[in-house]
């Protein structure tokens, strides 16, 4: 007869390594979804971006919805941080391009 009181096997172990990304400290980081970037700026070497997401809200007596936008994040960073973000965005856009169809040369 199998012992059903055994502890289940460990499926995740999150070590933190010097110079790496901490899994435990990252566990509660939010996922940010946004639709537009309505505001941006630069002051004293710090870039600033405001991200918003569209909402649908039913506040009318007939139940129909209207839309507005809510701020979901404020990004702040120095120029090297924004250059890294730009590089990541450029890579995403490159990956999203359709691949050519048909025979290659």
């Amino acid at each position: 007869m199998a012992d059903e009181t055994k502890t289940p096997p460990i499926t995740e172990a999150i070590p933190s390594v010097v110079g790496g990304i901490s899994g435990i400290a990252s566990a509660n980081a939010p996922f940010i979804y946004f639709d537009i970037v309505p505001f941006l700026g630069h002051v004293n070497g710090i870039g600033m971006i405001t991200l918003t997401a569209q909402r649908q809200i039913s506040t009318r007596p007939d139940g129909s919805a209207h839309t507005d936008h809510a701020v979901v994040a404020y990004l702040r960073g120095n120029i090297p941080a924004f250059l890294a973000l730009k590089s990541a965005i450029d890579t995403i856009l490159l990956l999203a391009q359709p691949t050519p169809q048909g025979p290659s040369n």
Side-chain angles (χ1 to χ4, degrees), residues 4-105:
E4 295 183 21
T5 62
K6 287 185 181 179
T7 303
I10 296 173
T11 57
E12 254 185 298
I14 306 175
S16 184
V17 181
V18 173
I21 296 175
S22 170
I24 293 172
S26 302
N28 293 320
F31 285 90
I32 300 171
Y33 176 84
F34 69 100
D35 293 308
I36 65 170
V37 179
F39 310 108
L40 57 92
H42 176 268
V43 176
N44 295 327
I46 301 298
M48 301 173 287
I49 295 177
T50 300
L51 305 175
T52 66
Q54 185 178 15
R55 304 185 302 174
Q56 292 184 333
I57 303 170
S58 176
T59 58
R60 298 180 178 139
D62 66 356
S64 63
H66 70 274
T67 60
D68 71 352
H69 284 257
V71 172
V72 294
Y74 301 101
L75 299 181
R76 301 292 186 263
N78 59 24
I79 298 306
F82 275 98
L83 288 172
L85 179 61
K86 179 184 182 299
S87 175
I89 291 169
D90 289 343
T91 301
I92 289 169
L93 295 174
L94 181 63
L95 291 170
Q97 289 181 356
T99 56
Q101 299 297 319
S104 60
N105 292 343

